Amino acid sequence: MIIVLKPKATTRQIDHIIEKVKKLGLKPMVSRGVERTIIGVIGEEEILRVQPLEAYPGVEKVMPILKPYKLVSREFKKEGSIINVGNKVKIGGKRVAVAAGPCSVEDKKLLLNIAKEVKSMGAVMLRGGAFKPRTSPYSFQGLGEEGLKYLSEAKRLTGMPIVTELMDSRDMPLLEKYADIIQIGARNMQNFTLLKVVGQSKKPVLLKRGISSTIKEFLMSAEYILSEGNFNVVLCERGIRTFEDYTRFTLDVSAVPVIKKLSHLPVIVDPSHATGKWGLVKPCAKAAIAAGADGLIVEVHTNPEEALSDGTQSLLPEKFGELMEEVKKVAKACGRVI
Ligand code: PEP
Ligand code: MN
């Protein structure tokens, strides 16, 4: 249930409604917008349905929610959310934000090099996994805290905030310490325990779409995070599994405008994992921006042949530079800036 208040509703009227909602055993989530305040109510909708809420002073209308997600919905918040990452970067709004870096953090010198290169080409955040979700238990699993320390060093050198993945809730204190935005990978999109853990943090979360998830399921996962109190969520379309096997996954470009319509959360695109082939990363990045994405996350490596993970989809820095130049033109044509 969403309670839309009148533009001139007083604090007293708002508090009275919040009190009533709590008394009924429901949870009010208040969003104070520029024009008006909206209260999203979590819990059994039936309990509120029988209450004459529209008779309360200050209430303009009461909207039952048919969709299973509430807090992530456009009905809950009309204007697009802008997520602040490390007090440096904003995701959402007019500016398109690009994160780039290696798939995994492998070695300090290599990471620092890649970080400097991508920064000089316009990336504003550095990506790199220290905990890696690998299909095979025999593949490189990441450097753990050592990798996080290298990321920290790269941040100190370049000023770029860090995007890095959390796979196990026991590592959350480390991520709180080193990450500026915590990535929840595709394989953990429906790890509800993990979603609740990041939901209880104040750190921004980059939630990647599960490889076989519908948009509704994706938004329900984001709802888990918001329902715990963390509204700093960025969604990431990274390709889904289809019958097509030429590419690693199939980039669902239409998910971008669909999610923009259904939700106020910013959406970025990962053309690297979506395609699995470095030669397809640039065209898909351009398509993503043209479709309205608020940013990109791109894998870049100075020596893809020797990369410990995802070398086939990693761009050499100069190729990343070319991507940035072309994506800038697309962004400009769409009224955005990079
Ligand atoms: C990654 O970004 O390194 C990654 C493993 O992504 P995904 O979870 O989308 O596969
Ligand atoms: Mn990867």
Side-chain angles (χ1 to χ4, degrees):
M1 185 79 81
I2 287 174
I3 305 170
V4 181
L5 299 169
K6 290 183 178 149
K8 287 200 178 118
T10 64
T11 312
R12 217 161 137 205
Q13 290 169 339
I14 297 171
D15 289 346
H16 179 59
I17 297 158
I18 293 172
E19 230 170 77
K20 176 76 189 175
V21 168
K22 284 188 184 157
K23 235 191 218 153
L24 291 167
L26 305 167
K27 194 171 162 194
M29 306 292 284
V30 185
S31 163
R32 289 176 210 272
V34 189
E35 278 173 38
R36 62 176 83 236
T37 296
I38 288 172
I39 305 173
V41 183
I42 301 176
E44 263 298 296
E45 203 162 274
E46 278 311 303
I47 301 174
L48 268 193
R49 245 185 241 270
V50 294
Q51 298 290 325
L53 281 176
E54 262 156 357
Y56 281 48
V59 174
E60 185 166 288
K61 61 178 170 181
V62 178
M63 302 191 297
I65 299 280
L66 298 173
K67 296 189 187 101
Y69 44 85
K70 299 178 179 149
L71 305 175
V72 304
S73 72
R74 274 276 176 201
E75 285 90 347
F76 181 64
K77 190 166 176 276
K78 209 165 73 200
E79 64 277 15
S81 287
I82 297 179
I83 310 300
N84 185 325
V85 182
N87 278 328
K88 278 261 165 88
V89 175
K90 288 191 168 69
I91 309 181
K94 198 171 165 161
R95 198 165 275 279
V96 170
V98 180
C103 176
S104 312
V105 178
E106 302 171 5
D107 157 290
K108 187 160 141 186
K109 208 168 136 211
L110 189 79
L111 180 72
L112 299 185
N113 248 333
I114 297 172
K116 275 189 247 159
E117 293 269 20
V118 297
K119 165 141 196 202
S120 72
M121 287 154 181
V124 290
M125 288 175 285
L126 177 66
R127 65 145 290 145
F131 299 101
K132 294 303 303 175
R134 304 307 300 279
T135 304
S136 165
Y138 308 115
S139 302
F140 177 60
Q141 302 285 307
L143 296 180
E145 186 172 6
E146 198 189 342
L148 295 174
K149 285 184 179 156
Y150 298 165
L151 284 167
S152 215
E153 176 81 10
K155 178 182 167 181
R156 205 180 52 76
L157 273 181
T158 61
M160 284 189 289
I162 302 300
V163 189
T164 193
E165 181 165 352
L166 172 72
M167 286 175 58
D168 184 329
S169 59
R170 288 170 296 186
D171 294 319
M172 189 58 185
L174 286 176
L175 274 276
E176 285 279 7
K177 184 169 168 198
Y178 294 104
D180 292 294
I181 175 163
I182 300 174
Q183 179 171 320
I184 297 294
R187 287 147 195 89
N188 273 318
M189 188 204 83
Q190 285 189 317
N191 182 337
F192 301 117
T193 322
L194 201 58
L195 298 178
K196 284 186 190 170
V197 168
V198 292
Q200 284 156 16
S201 166
K202 287 191 173 58
K203 287 259 167 173
V205 177
L206 176 64
L207 179 66
K208 297 189 96 179
R209 181 178 180 182
I211 62 176
S212 300
S213 298
T214 62
I215 290 171
K216 198 201 264 180
E217 288 162 341
F218 189 20
L219 292 176
M220 285 308 289
S221 289
E223 185 81 11
Y224 259 89
I225 305 172
L226 272 72
S227 70
E228 291 292 325
N230 189 351
F231 277 59
N232 300 313
V233 175
V234 177
L235 301 169
C236 178
E237 161 60 39
R238 46 78 70 213
I240 49 173
R241 192 126 294 149
T242 66
F243 53 81
E244 181 54 67
D245 62 1
Y246 184 84
T247 45
R248 187 175 180 190
F249 295 96
T250 298
L251 177 61
D252 182 6
V253 183
S254 62
V256 176
V258 170
I259 295 170
K260 289 253 148 213
K261 181 170 163 236
L262 299 176
S263 175
H264 56 86
L265 296 174
V267 189
I268 69 164
V269 166
D270 175 346
S272 308
H273 290 89
T275 58
K277 292 184 158 93
W278 70 265
L280 295 175
V281 172
K282 184 170 69 179
C284 288
K286 289 161 71 183
I289 301 305
D294 297 299
L296 298 169
I297 180 162
V298 181
E299 287 188 341
V300 177
H301 200 288
T302 42
N303 188 3
E305 281 177 27
E306 300 290 327
L308 296 180
S309 59
D310 290 347
T312 46
Q313 66 198 35
S314 297
L315 293 179
L316 281 164
E318 59 263 35
K319 293 284 171 204
F320 174 68
E322 286 170 22
L323 174 149
M324 288 300 285
E325 286 317 305
E326 292 202 24
V327 157
K328 269 181 206 161
K329 289 184 213 154
V330 178
K332 193 169 171 216
C334 298
R336 312 281 298 261
V337 276
I338 294 194

